[in-house]
Structure formats: C-alpha cells, structure tokens
Amino acid sequence: MIKLAARFQVIYVGIMIWLIGRLLEAASRVDKVIQQELAALPAAFAFSMGILPRGPVFVVQKQVDGTLYCARRNDNITPDLAISFKHVKHAFLILSFQESTARSFANDRMLLDGDLNLAMIIVRCLDRMECLVLPKFIASLAVKRYPPISFSQKVTLATKIYLQLLLGFFRRSHV
C-alpha cells in the first residue's frame, strides 16, 4: 500500500510539473499582469522547477517578445534560476495544494539556486497563473494572498490560457 501511494505521488508530481510549465507559458501570452512581471527579467532569462535528484523538471525561457517558452528536453537550456524540491513528497504537498509555496520555503522543503529577487518575480507569476486557472477555493490554498480578480475576468483569462495550452500542442507538433 505504501509503495502504491508513493508511486501515485511520483506520477501526480510528474504530471503537475509538466502542466505548470506549459500553463506558465500560456499565461505569459495572455495575461498583462504576468507580462508586466516578466518585463523585469533579463533577456533570454531561463528558469527551472523540478524535484531532486533527477525527478521531473520543466525549464522556461523568456523570448524576445517577452513571453515564456517551455523548453523541450533536447533544447539544452541552462537555467539562470532553479527552484528545486528536496523530495517528491515535498513537491506533492505543494502541488496537491496542502501547503503554499511560501510555507514550503519556510519549512526548508525547497532549494533556490539563483537571484532571490528574480525568484520572487517567478513566484508572483506562478501565483497569478494559479489564481487564474484554478477555482478560487483551491487557488486560495496555494497562494499567500488571492488577488482581486472579477469572476468574468477570471473566466475570460482562464479560457484564453487553456486555449493557448491547447494551441501549444499544435505549435510543438509542427516544430
């Protein structure tokens, strides 16, 4: 039973890591708040989030137009900033919305390799993306402070983000 639960956590975390990278890419294309945050990042800035030692990971890189691109495994992009969970169980706590990012960092479940100021920009983008694509009662568990977003704005942006996610599959299949 314990092995089954551990295997479930590994599969769930892998899916969520994959999904977060692509949702962040999609959100960077449609949300003005995220675009303003990303404008403060250096050109060609790359960021990764993953699980130590060799767990699932995503890498996103800032493009010339200011949006993010979620890299493929063979893109060989070296991240300027890496946020790593020390164990899959720690990642599961955050990705299953049992613990916020801030609480996880305070509980020493994550490692940061890079500039803390740039990490805060990325965390704000991740929080904003979560608030847009998740129902409020779930997103409230994941973020420290839920931003004021009207229901109509949330639905409109979430729909655009999910459409961009779907379009991303077609863009990638033709590259």
Side-chain angles (χ1 to χ4, degrees):
M1 184 66 173
I2 293 173
K3 287 184 180 182
L4 183 62
R7 186 69 186 141
F8 170 76
Q9 286 182 354
V10 169
I11 292 169
Y12 178 83
V13 166
I15 291 168
M16 290 299 288
I17 287 290
W18 179 88
L19 186 60
I20 289 168
R22 279 144 189 86
L23 283 170
L24 191 57
E25 175 185 329
S28 76
R29 295 177 182 275
V30 299
D31 185 51
K32 300 293 184 215
V33 174
I34 291 176
Q35 291 168 355
Q36 289 171 351
E37 289 284 356
L38 294 175
L41 296 175
F45 173 83
F47 154 72
S48 72
M49 179 179 273
I51 291 76
L52 295 174
R54 289 175 297 282
V57 64
F58 72 80
V59 178
V60 292
Q61 184 173 40
K62 183 177 174 183
Q63 302 298 291
V64 175
D65 65 359
T67 63
L68 296 176
Y69 166 74
C70 191
R72 295 176 178 207
R73 285 192 186 270
N74 61 355
D75 285 344
N76 294 323
I77 297 171
T78 303
D80 302 297
L81 174 75
I83 296 177
S84 304
F85 297 101
K86 292 182 177 180
H87 193 277
V88 71
K89 290 179 183 178
H90 299 156
F92 184 77
L93 287 173
I94 289 180
L95 301 176
S96 62
F97 313 106
Q98 297 177 54
E99 187 172 75
S100 70
T101 306
R103 172 59 54 203
S104 183
F105 191 78
N107 288 339
D108 199 29
R109 300 186 199 281
M110 304 164 70
L111 294 174
L112 172 65
D113 183 13
D115 186 321
L116 183 60
N117 293 324
L118 298 177
M120 295 309 299
I121 293 170
I122 295 298
V123 169
R124 286 193 300 269
C125 291
L126 286 167
D127 285 353
R128 172 78 177 179
M129 181 267 302
E130 289 172 345
C131 290
L132 293 175
V133 301
L134 295 171
K136 185 176 182 176
F137 72 95
I138 294 175
S140 296
L141 299 172
V143 300
K144 188 174 181 180
R145 214 169 324 167
Y146 193 89
I149 305 171
S150 71
F151 181 74
S152 62
Q153 181 185 21
K154 180 180 172 86
V155 169
T156 301
L157 287 170
T159 302
K160 289 179 180 180
I161 290 168
Y162 282 117
L163 284 173
Q164 282 295 319
L165 177 69
L166 290 173
L167 289 172
F169 293 128
F170 294 110
R171 280 193 295 270
R172 288 175 193 283
S173 66
H174 292 87
V175 174

